[in-house]
Amino acid sequence: SGGENPEALEETANAQPEQSQTGLAYETAKDAEIDFKALKAENPDIFAWLHVPGTNIDCPVLQSEEADDYYETHNAYGKEDPKGAVYTELANLKDMCDFNTVLHGKGTGKEDVFAELYQFGDKDFFQKNHTIYLYLEDNLLTYEVFAAYEREDSSLIRTYDFTYAEGCEAFLQDLYYTKTMGKNIREGWEGINAYNFLITLTVSNETTPGKQYVVVAALVGDAAGKIDRIVE
């Protein structure tokens, strides 16, 4: 069936024959290709496609010029929808060259887009599932999950100034040294610093008011060799 004449966003990822049309069928640029032309025809705010193997997270990523939290209450088609969509704020560049790009999503109901993020709280799941793929129009980025934990429900973008090395280091200090029950940290990433490129998937935990759950991953693959920035 593939991604011909897509009638839904999920069908725009070209799948091999007999694959279900639920988004990305494979995890490499060779096997899977996101049809960004079709996606942008649906909604020009779409700039990336997120795929988290081991979960059902397989969806477009959007950024609104209208308001940072526009996709908190609108779906990927731009229609009003309490389930929202996965989005970044205007403070983050869409080229993924920031120190930390924060991706927001809902996770209260079972069908919410980030509902399965909480699985990273399970040590076995965390150990077995450590890769995240982010497709851009001209690139495929691979990230390694190295931390998953609960933190106060405050804006990461506003708490830390990621445009300066000091803000990046402050985030990493809090990540490693703030004591939190159930925090999972992968060994071997202790040397991470302001020169790395991170993504943080975040969801407000409505069962624990005032808390949010975050899954943090570091860039390990840049297929087109385009990710770079100057650190001040």
Side-chain angles (χ1 to χ4, degrees):
S1 48
E4 295 176 11
N5 303 319
E7 293 180 4
L9 286 170
E10 289 77 12
E11 295 176 359
T12 58
N14 296 332
Q16 296 288 328
E18 298 180 18
Q19 292 290 329
S20 62
Q21 293 185 348
T22 54
L24 219 53
Y26 297 95
E27 295 96 47
T28 67
K30 184 178 177 183
D31 292 329
E33 185 179 320
I34 305 303
D35 189 345
F36 277 98
K37 188 176 179 182
L39 287 170
K40 287 178 179 292
E42 293 283 2
N43 188 342
D45 284 348
I46 296 170
F47 72 94
W49 187 281
L50 176 69
H51 177 45
V52 185
T55 76
N56 291 322
I57 299 170
D58 191 6
C59 59
V61 182
L62 304 96
Q63 187 180 95
S64 170
E65 292 184 8
E66 195 169 312
D68 274 337
D69 60 354
Y70 182 82
Y71 287 103
E72 189 79 15
T73 54
H74 293 76
N75 62 28
Y77 292 100
K79 308 287 185 192
E80 281 196 29
D81 186 340
K83 290 188 183 301
V86 174
Y87 67 92
T88 63
E89 298 175 59
L90 283 164
N92 274 138
L93 299 169
K94 291 190 282 187
D95 62 9
M96 304 304 295
C97 287
D98 288 321
F99 165 73
N100 193 2
T101 301
V102 182
L103 282 71
H104 303 271
K106 293 275 182 77
T108 311
K110 278 188 177 180
E111 293 180 12
D112 284 352
V113 67
F114 271 0
E116 292 189 37
L117 273 192
Y118 297 109
Q119 290 189 71
F120 284 97
D122 178 85
K123 282 199 181 300
D124 287 340
F125 184 90
F126 181 82
Q127 290 303 326
K128 292 174 186 172
N129 299 274
H130 47 80
T131 308
I132 293 177
Y133 296 99
L134 193 86
Y135 287 76
L136 299 175
E137 199 156 6
D138 56 0
N139 206 355
L140 169 62
L141 305 179
T142 308
Y143 295 85
E144 172 108 2
V145 175
F146 71 92
Y149 60 102
E150 193 172 67
R151 65 180 295 276
E152 65 178 56
D153 194 13
S154 61
S155 166
L156 286 165
I157 293 284
R158 289 162 185 80
T159 302
Y160 306 97
D161 186 350
F162 294 129
T163 59
Y164 291 97
E166 287 175 57
C168 304
E169 297 295 350
F171 169 74
L172 293 169
Q173 284 286 319
D174 287 348
L175 184 156
Y176 275 104
Y177 299 112
T178 301
K179 290 186 177 178
T180 307
M181 287 284 290
K183 180 189 286 187
N184 283 327
I185 299 280
R186 197 175 309 282
E187 289 182 13
W189 285 93
E190 294 77 16
I192 208 157
N193 58 45
Y195 290 90
N196 286 95
F197 297 89
L198 311 183
I199 55 171
T200 299
L201 280 53
T202 178
V203 58
S204 294
N205 190 344
E206 292 190 18
T207 58
T208 314
K211 297 290 184 182
Q212 67 179 203
Y213 196 72
V214 296
V215 174
V216 190
L219 184 73
V220 293
D222 169 15
K226 294 188 172 188
I227 304 300
D228 194 17
R229 77 173 183 284
I230 295 168
V231 177
E232 294 183 36

